[in-house]
Amino acid sequence: MARARAPADARRRDAARARDDAAPAGLDDAAVPRLRPGGRGASGGGDHRPALVPRRHRRRARRETAGGRRRPPRAGHRGLRARRRAGRVAHKQRGQPLLLRAPRLPHRARGGDAAGRPARLGYGQAAVSTRPPKRYPDRDEIAAVRAEAEPLEDGAEAAESRRLAGRVMARRDMGKLVFLDLVDRSGRIQLLCPAARTGEVDVHLGDVVGVTGKPAKSRRGEPSLVVDELELLSRIRSPLPDTFHGLTDVEQRYRRRYLDLMMNEETRADFILRSRMVKAIRDYLDGDGFVEVETPALQADYGGAFARPFATHSNELDQDIYLRIAGGELYLKRLIVGGLEKVYEIGRVFRNEGVSYKHNPEFTMLEWYEAYADYNDTMERFETLVETVALEVLGTTKVTYRGQDIDLKRPWRRLKLVDALEEHGVWSEDEADLRAILESRGINTTEDRTWSQLVDHALTNYVEPKLVEPTFLHDYPVRLSPFARTTDGDEQIVERFEGFVGGTELCNAFSELNDAVEQEARFRMQAEEGAGGNVEAEPGDEDYVEALSYGMAPTGGLGFGIDRLAMVLAGKESIRDVILFPAQRPKS
RNA sequence: GGGCCGGUAGCUCAGCUGGUAGAGCAGGGGACUUUUAAUCCCAAGGUCGCAGGUUCGAGCCCUGCCCGGCCCA
């Protein structure tokens, strides 16, 4: 199949048509904002394309395929084997560390030719004439300067100078006039560089530069900065990913998050949102008199959840120790015994288990304990916290999560666990009964050794997915909850609740058991659960019982998954989209 | 752990029934003072994830493995 060279006149026609196509569309596009509104993109989850208009792209793509424009055969065809060999050499060089590769310029490369033009250079190897500055003080935010330029007349220029710094993300070179798009954390603005003022604009896509100039509007009405002085602050040495499509390969987005953040504004917005969320949580708790504390992440024993731990070894103690698999529950309650009254901890928790859209081996938990409060107070505090935080970071309580529109506004629905199970016809106090019910619905219960596990299984299968609107599921069977106080009316039920949004569990809380004697009895009950085959059973803790024996105020306590709330607020379906560096296998 | 899908140039993607790997963007050289995915000309760029196998011939078919995604457990 020989490739024919397209007739020259046909190619010229193509080129002319391309120009005609581009011109009117360009006018339309001038009105398209470069920035998405802060927060979530209108396109919804999963789409990481920049907010640009693909119309022209499509048109051009169509022309390309229909026109059948092909690369003409090379004049000096080197032959396949020679090219393969050349490729292999190039690959080897690419494989070397940048530091070794970059300085190896051919001698000519530094000099350039007699006319002063730089010689042929490899990627990012263009000579940098001076050592770049170590600081760039007194810069303004791009968003602020953009706002300043916005009200100007087309073609007008403001009187006062501004300083901006950021990364160059687009270049449109007219020869004596160069347009650059400069991006910082606050936004994007067009730079207008007249050669008369700035000299030759030796700037590549991806370079970090600092500029001084005056806010202005281009003739076409684009808010800009007319540059008087441009300084290169950092030269890019590796090529930027596709500036239109960004970096879309999910694996690459996680492995090289810096590129994801650089190219995808939505990613930047998501992680700034997470940071503001955590700050809003702290502000709320601090403002209500809580004390932030830290408790051990290295523990001689692990508990508080059913999970495999990461094990390590203390040389000093000559003893195996574990990274915690849950928040510092029993430590924090010791602090209540000690009189700190209101404490919280935001900390990393580790589970030696698999990765999924809602699991990462390390994640972040918040636990708080509040003396003189019960689980009703805690419910109120949690719904207030979530509402407050949502308003603070999103400006609204309405979110879209997993394709569902949800309002986080308080008060949340309260639903008794038993009622919820009965509603779905999966409730019985008798183990054999419950097992039969579940089996009759096709659920495999062979892994469930105890009644508690059957209840849990029924919950996850039938109740939780239905809890889309924010809901507190409350009043759990005592056997599921070794640290919660029983209700006044029924000794078999404890004052415990879990909060759900969009079918996802956000938190777990109780009126804390504060009686040493009863706590001891509960530990014995758990030992029976364990003997019955429930690996989730809580191991006893004599020291904790001793702490309680000094008397603990009645206390409401709660633990919740920070990452999960970040997912809800950012509208992300995968926990990996709210963790900057999610767990990845090393790519050998 | 099982099933399905994917891995081709730095990035985004084509690649037909097995027959010499090809586009756009980025990068190099050149033209251009109002562009905005600027445009135009020229040249360059490949370990087709890895290892085997089948075949005259494999990016494409087969086997195993690695990495990722989705679904299930």
Side-chain angles (χ1 to χ4, degrees):
Chain A
M1 190 169 66
R3 270 191 306 276
R5 177 196 283 271
D9 57 344
R11 283 157 73 216
R12 236 173 288 136
R13 242 186 291 124
D14 272 348
R17 205 178 323 138
R19 251 199 315 277
D20 290 343
D21 281 349
L27 285 170
D28 293 343
D29 289 353
V32 174
R34 304 256 73 80
L35 282 175
R36 284 168 194 238
R40 277 94 43 70
S43 56
D47 185 356
H48 300 287
R49 279 153 199 245
L52 292 169
V53 181
R55 177 162 29 99
R56 293 178 48 205
H57 181 240
R58 267 190 256 117
R59 192 181 308 171
R60 201 162 54 169
R62 217 183 304 129
R63 175 171 58 79
E64 220 75 79
T65 42
R69 220 177 66 187
R70 288 274 166 86
R71 169 181 290 190
R74 246 183 304 276
H77 191 56
R78 270 192 286 161
L80 194 61
R81 208 172 306 154
R83 286 175 51 213
R84 285 252 167 86
R85 205 181 316 120
R88 232 174 284 133
V89 170
H91 177 81
K92 254 191 211 156
Q93 283 171 352
R94 250 202 316 285
Q96 289 175 1
L98 280 175
L99 283 176
L100 288 180
R101 192 152 42 93
R104 246 183 236 166
L105 299 177
H107 190 65
R108 279 188 306 119
R110 295 175 193 278
D113 63 14
R117 278 191 300 266
R120 257 183 98 95
L121 297 169
Y123 193 94
Q125 292 182 340
V128 179
S129 53
T130 53
R131 295 181 68 199
K134 294 200 173 70
R135 61 195 296 267
Y136 199 78
D138 305 322
R139 69 195 173 91
D140 303 293
E141 284 209 326
I142 284 177
V145 173
R146 193 183 168 88
E148 223 178 308
E150 202 78 58
L152 296 170
E153 296 282 310
D154 290 1
E157 198 174 314
E160 285 219 19
S161 238
R162 293 284 178 261
R163 276 161 74 79
L164 297 175
R167 197 181 286 275
V168 173
M169 294 302 282
R171 177 180 175 128
R172 295 175 293 280
D173 196 330
M174 301 290 128
K176 295 211 170 57
L177 182 66
V178 178
F179 298 88
L180 303 174
D181 283 356
L182 188 70
V183 173
D184 76 4
R185 217 173 60 189
S186 74
R188 176 185 285 246
I189 196 169
Q190 174 172 271
L191 302 179
L192 243 142
C193 306
R197 294 202 205 180
T198 59
E200 191 201 343
V201 182
D202 178 24
V203 167
H204 296 161
L205 271 196
D207 280 347
V208 177
V209 302
V211 292
T212 307
K214 301 195 178 60
K217 264 257 179 86
S218 74
R219 282 183 210 163
R220 291 275 178 87
E222 177 76 15
S224 309
L225 187 85
V226 182
V227 176
D228 291 311
E229 198 187 339
L230 184 147
E231 284 181 86
L232 181 67
L233 302 179
S234 179
R235 172 71 87 201
I236 191 165
R237 302 288 186 188
S238 300
L240 222 48
D242 189 302
T243 49
F244 180 71
H245 298 94
L247 187 70
T248 60
D249 183 291
V250 281
E251 185 176 350
Q252 291 306 316
R253 292 209 303 120
Y254 299 147
R255 285 192 196 277
R256 301 201 282 173
R257 183 68 92 180
Y258 53 96
L259 287 180
D260 185 26
L261 288 163
M262 201 185 291
M263 304 308 298
N264 300 324
E265 190 166 326
E266 189 176 339
T267 305
R268 250 177 291 154
D270 287 341
F271 286 105
I272 290 170
L273 179 143
R274 178 179 172 136
S275 165
R276 296 207 298 130
M277 178 193 88
V278 172
K279 181 182 185 310
I281 290 169
R282 282 207 166 92
D283 285 349
Y284 169 83
L285 292 171
D286 294 346
D288 252 12
F290 278 79
V291 175
E292 182 171 4
V293 298
E294 293 172 276
T295 67
L298 291 175
Q299 304 180 340
D301 272 310
Y302 57 93
F306 170 47
R308 291 220 309 272
F310 286 94
T312 182
H313 187 80
S314 164
N315 294 333
E316 171 69 17
L317 303 178
D318 189 22
Q319 181 189 338
D320 287 338
I321 51 174
Y322 307 91
L323 275 68
R324 65 176 166 197
I325 59 169
E329 177 170 4
L330 300 191
Y331 288 106
L332 291 165
K333 282 189 275 188
R334 285 171 168 98
L335 301 180
I336 299 294
V337 170
L340 291 185
E341 294 185 1
K342 291 165 144 187
V343 296
Y344 75 96
E345 175 175 24
I346 294 177
R348 202 71 61 84
V349 172
F350 307 87
R351 295 188 181 174
N352 202 345
E353 293 173 353
V355 174
S356 80
Y357 71 94
K358 57 174 163 176
H359 297 106
N360 195 63
E362 47 182 313
F363 59 99
T364 305
M365 269 194 90
L366 164 65
E367 292 212 2
W368 83 57
Y369 292 84
E370 178 178 13
Y372 313 109
D374 70 1
Y375 80 144
N376 285 310
D377 299 315
T378 306
M379 276 186 223
E380 274 181 46
R381 190 177 284 292
F382 189 75
E383 63 193 0
T384 304
L385 171 75
V386 172
E387 183 189 78
T388 306
V389 168
L391 286 172
E392 177 65 29
V393 305
L394 298 177
T396 173
T397 54
K398 295 197 164 76
V399 297
T400 304
Y401 177 62
R402 304 185 75 78
Q404 302 145 324
D405 290 327
I406 296 167
D407 195 337
L408 300 170
K409 188 163 53 109
R410 63 178 176 166
W412 290 12
R413 178 163 73 126
R414 269 90 170 146
L415 179 63
K416 275 194 179 176
L417 177 126
V418 173
D419 294 348
L421 288 169
E422 274 178 346
E423 199 180 300
H424 291 90
V426 286
W427 167 248
S428 169
E429 294 191 50
D430 181 77
E431 181 184 329
D433 252 22
L434 185 53
R435 190 180 297 278
I437 292 170
L438 293 177
E439 287 284 353
S440 75
R441 293 178 171 225
I443 289 190
N444 178 1
T445 64
T446 49
E447 297 283 305
D448 303 317
R449 297 288 190 51
T450 65
W451 175 83
S452 314
Q453 289 180 314
L454 289 168
V455 171
D456 200 55
H457 206 146
L459 263 182
T460 16
N461 271 269
Y462 293 102
V463 179
E464 294 183 4
K466 298 281 159 50
L467 302 178
V468 174
E469 279 300 311
T471 302
F472 291 124
L473 201 62
H474 64 95
D475 291 9
Y476 282 57
V478 64
R479 275 190 283 173
L480 292 173
S481 313
F483 297 111
R485 291 179 70 162
T486 55
T487 56
D488 293 339
D490 187 343
E491 292 284 301
Q492 292 306 306
I493 300 293
V494 293
E495 294 193 353
R496 170 184 175 186
F497 71 86
E498 293 185 307
F500 292 87
V501 168
T504 301
E505 180 195 334
L506 283 189
C507 69
N508 181 21
F510 345 113
S511 298
E512 302 293 336
L513 183 58
N514 61 340
D515 183 290
V517 175
E518 197 179 342
Q519 184 65 68
E520 206 171 13
R522 294 283 189 87
F523 278 142
R524 279 200 300 274
M525 195 195 291
Q526 286 292 301
E528 285 166 27
E529 272 280 319
N534 186 350
V535 275
E536 221 166 314
E538 199 63 41
D541 185 334
E542 286 173 33
D543 287 344
Y544 176 64
V545 172
E546 188 189 347
L548 281 189
S549 76
Y550 287 88
M552 181 172 87
T555 295
L558 172 143
F560 97 90
I562 292 282
D563 313 87
R564 298 266 176 96
L565 184 62
M567 287 164 69
V568 169
L569 294 183
K572 285 290 174 300
E573 301 196 0
S574 171
I575 195 170
R576 275 160 283 184
D577 288 326
V578 297
I579 291 178
L580 279 165
F581 299 100
Q584 298 274 294
R585 279 174 207 276
K587 187 141 191 175
S588 56

